[in-house]
């Protein structure tokens, strides 16, 4: 069979495979980024007009685009509804960005580690990823400058707010520094912000996009983490010169995003009801974060280091005695525990052993201790066998 | 700005642009393939379980996959639910097929004319399209054999049942001949069947896929023409060896198709209620087809030739005095009439002047005569100016 050249680079999504394995009800899953089921709001469909049954516009529903643009303006983005493209989740925004920029060999800039499913999309199309090491407060700025001086990446893909997987939130200083560097070198910013609203303290950092002065930008978001993932409604907002290209790529990809999900999302965005829901969500996840922190201290205190996340859905553990945790995945599943090996979030997994991403939103607190106890056992056993 | 090489081939979708222009309520649109609004069934959401709000499987909802496979088996396809991938409309199936096969320069085989939005997808990725002339009963078989003898296309993209745009339905003999040729040369079939159920006579031809013996295949369908386009639920079914690749491409594209639309589709497929709805739909469209035929005879009898379609949504007119109808698009819109220039459905539009695609499902019969009268006037005027 003669497939395209890109198929030789087609990787399975490790996340999706683990999620599939984790569907047995007895499995305690720290693997996915699933919202907690009790916090999925009950939604009302009774007022949905029949008109949304018909074909719609590739751009998305006008009402929803207005709401998304208004929210973005409140974050400091200078934008209009005409710059908003509704997508099938924010994953599709990544697919469109990849199509817009990436030929085999195209250099792009990413954090190290970075989001696995973004890497999957970029690498499928043959991107050469330049890595910038992630520190506790954002990327290493000297390394970023060096990459920009020595290369001309098509774009920089950054997740500045509660990055998946590292949970890092860029400091104000690093946000400003990154924006200034991208402007200086004229590199387009792709800013991915699925976790912005899942914040557990009072600090709200303005997007890097809002700090840019001259360079192009694409800002992506989703209602999957705040409302309902099953709607598959995400979006991108972009600088004006990029919009016509991204719109045509969307047309060719699937004509338009489903309208029923768009209608439902428009019932929530910008409402007091949504603000109340987000407040409840933050309280609920803060409790789970705290329970996880406590259970981790008990079971992983000797095994790993981590920073307590101030938002998002994940803890990011670095083993003190690093071993490749990809080898532990099946052993953990054998004792009904699922987690995400952290190596998969690096361009070169083999050079970065000893990381684990643990989701804290999904497992009920009463099962948390048992799950982490078993997982720690799997780690200890493997380390003992290795030594 | 450094975009990918493919962006130089990115065309706007003429269909979507005309649809946008045709949104003014006073426009009589023969342009789109929109289902008639009165025939969009009222759907009930009250029984939808909360569980579909969560993330779902990339493959699609298990229940829906079973229903799609059962329907396909009833058409003669030898398949299981495990070969079904639910997509965001059948347009996404084309995007995935393109990613699977097409590098710049990859040869593929298409009918001439063929579906515009498929061409858009294939050409975006750099496909070299080999054309096989479409005749009243399907492709010219000698030409097909010649292409297969002289080339090794990655796949053959065919729309054998009420092709968009030509409304051609392949005869039994040509279905058998095409299947035998694809088997002989080992070329994968991509069979696109959005219009299968919109049939106005008693003849139901088995898909070409069901006639294959050895070669690979991808069969695509959608609920957009039979149920509700706004759900954005389509699917592909494929031979087993292709499934893992297409699944991973789907994962990378958008994780999964929206679950609410999938749930709704599953309430209809395979039910008596759906059969009744399809029967009503066929009756309704048959009446509109007949009204269109009558109005065309009155207004276009001297201007064009056509075959009366036995299914689908379109008449395909060939002007007796061919002029490039793309030049008429804006003139028609100026008198509040929209239509699809047929040239856009050919690989080389400039060499194929004088075709028009007219949808008969959307304009209400009482406005039909006036719309076609105006459109005929636009054609006559342009022909007079040309001569």
């Amino acid at each position: 069979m003669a497939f395209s050249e890109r198929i030789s680079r087609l990787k399975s999504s490790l996340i999706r495979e683990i999620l599939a394995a984790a569907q047995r009800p007895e499995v305690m899953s720290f693997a996915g980024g699933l919202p907690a089921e009790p916090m999925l709001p009950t939604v009302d469909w009774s007022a949905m007009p029949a008109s949304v049954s018909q074909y719609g516009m590739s751009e998305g529903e006008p009402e929803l685009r207005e709401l998304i643009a208004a929210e973005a303006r409140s974050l400091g983005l200078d934008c209009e509804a005409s710059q908003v493209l509704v997508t099938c989740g924010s994953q599709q925004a990544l697919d469109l960005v990849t199509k817009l920029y990436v030929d085999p060999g195209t250099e792009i800039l990413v954090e190290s580690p970075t989001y696995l499913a973004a890497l999957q999309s970029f690498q499928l199309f043959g991107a050469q990823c330049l890595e910038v090491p992630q520190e506790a407060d954002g990327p290493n700025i000297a390394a970023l400058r060096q990459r920009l001086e020595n290369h001309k990446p098509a774009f920089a893909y950054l997740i500045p707010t509660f990055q998946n997987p590292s949970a890092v939130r860029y400091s104000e200083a690093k946000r400003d520094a990154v924006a200034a560097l991208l402007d200086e070198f004229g590199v387009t910013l792709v800013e991915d912000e699925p976790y912005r609203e899942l914040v557990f303290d009072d600090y709200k950092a303005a997007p890097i996009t809002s700090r840019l002065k001259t360079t192009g930008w694409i800002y992506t978001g989703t209602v999957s983490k705040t409302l309902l993932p099953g709607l598959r409604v995400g979006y991108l907002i972009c600088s004006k010169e990029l919009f016509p290209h991204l719109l045509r790529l969307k047309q060719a990809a699937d004509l338009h995003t489903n309208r029923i999900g768009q209608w439902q999302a428009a019932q929530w965005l910008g409402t007091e009801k949504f603000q109340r829901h987000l407040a409840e969500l933050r309280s609920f996840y803060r409790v789970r974060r705290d329970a996880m922190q406590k259970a981790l201290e008990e079971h992983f205190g000797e095994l790993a280091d981590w920073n307590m996340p101030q938002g998002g859905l994940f803890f990011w553990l670095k083993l003190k005695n690093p071993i490749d945790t990809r080898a532990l995945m099946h052993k953990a599943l054998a004792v009904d525990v699922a987690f995400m090996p952290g190596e998969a979030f690096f361009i070169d997994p083999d050079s970065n052993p000893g990381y684990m991403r643990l989701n804290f939103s999904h497992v009920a607190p009463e099962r948390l201790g048992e799950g982490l106890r078993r997982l720690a056992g799997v780690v200890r056993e493997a380390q003992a066998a290795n030594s």
Side-chain angles (χ1 to χ4, degrees), chain A residues 13-171:
Chain A
S13 160
L14 195 57
I15 297 181
R16 307 291 306 168
E17 286 190 5
I18 294 174
L19 287 184
Q23 289 218 328
R24 287 180 290 129
E26 63 273 25
V27 170
M28 291 167 277
S29 178
F30 305 103
L34 296 187
E37 317 256 315
M39 290 309 292
L40 297 175
T42 305
V43 295
D44 182 6
W45 296 97
S46 58
M48 187 164 66
S51 58
V52 304
S53 299
Q54 187 56 279
Y55 280 108
M57 295 171 69
S58 298
E59 293 86 341
E61 298 297 300
E63 183 191 359
L64 180 61
R65 296 171 77 204
E66 291 286 356
L67 291 168
I68 290 168
E71 188 181 89
R73 283 194 297 269
S74 76
L75 298 174
L77 267 73
D78 178 21
C79 70
E80 302 297 326
S82 61
Q83 291 163 264
V84 175
L85 182 64
V86 181
T87 56
C88 186
S90 57
Q91 182 68 29
Q92 189 183 40
L94 297 176
D95 178 65
L96 301 180
V97 165
T98 308
K99 286 171 173 164
L100 180 59
Y101 287 109
V102 180
D103 290 317
T106 298
E107 289 186 327
I108 66 168
L109 197 142
V110 300
E111 300 149 345
S112 178
T114 187
Y115 177 47
L116 181 56
L119 273 189
Q120 187 193 20
S121 177
F122 303 151
Q123 293 183 331
L124 171 64
F125 279 67
Q128 290 297 320
C129 297
L130 309 169
E131 295 175 289
V132 176
Q134 186 82 303
E135 298 170 346
D137 63 343
N140 180 305
I141 297 297
L144 175 59
R145 170 172 282 282
Q146 196 198 27
R147 300 286 181 283
L148 294 172
E149 282 174 349
N150 297 329
H151 299 270
K152 179 72 185 158
F155 61 83
Y157 172 71
L158 306 176
I159 316 161
T161 308
F162 314 126
Q163 193 223 36
N164 177 358
S166 71
V168 165
R169 173 173 55 186
Y170 289 20
S171 65

Side-chain angles (χ1 to χ4, degrees), chain A residues 77-85 97 100-101 154-155 183 186-191 209-210 212-220 236-247:
Chain A
L77 267 73
D78 178 21
C79 70
E80 302 297 326
S82 61
Q83 291 163 264
V84 175
L85 182 64
V97 165
L100 180 59
Y101 287 109
F155 61 83
D183 270 339
V187 169
T188 300
L189 170 64
V190 178
E191 183 169 20
T209 298
S210 70
L212 295 173
K213 294 192 169 57
T214 53
T215 199
W217 53 271
I218 299 168
Y219 180 89
T220 79
L236 65 81
I237 315 174
C238 63
S239 45
K240 287 177 183 168
E241 74 284 4
L242 301 179
F243 192 84
H245 304 292
L246 288 163
L247 173 61

Side-chain angles (χ1 to χ4, degrees), chain A residues 111-115 134-139 159-171 175 195-196 198-201 203 289 293 296 305-317 345 355-360:
Chain A
E111 300 149 345
S112 178
T114 187
Y115 177 47
Q134 186 82 303
E135 298 170 346
D137 63 343
I159 316 161
T161 308
F162 314 126
Q163 193 223 36
N164 177 358
S166 71
V168 165
R169 173 173 55 186
Y170 289 20
S171 65
R175 286 169 188 259
Y195 303 106
R196 159 165 293 280
L198 303 186
V199 54
F200 308 135
D201 59 19
Y203 169 52
R289 190 266 322 254
Q293 171 74 16
L296 278 172
D305 298 305
W306 67 88
N307 291 317
M308 188 166 79
Q310 297 304 323
L313 296 172
F314 305 106
F315 279 80
W316 179 242
L317 271 59
F345 296 85
Y355 291 93
M356 306 171 82
R357 192 195 73 177
L358 301 182
N359 166 265
F360 59 79

Side-chain angles (χ1 to χ4, degrees), chain A residues 329-346:
Chain A
M329 214 173 78
H330 292 286
K331 288 173 186 160
L333 280 171
V335 293
D336 292 336
V337 178
F339 77 100
M340 265 308 292
E343 293 81 6
F345 296 85
F346 292 90

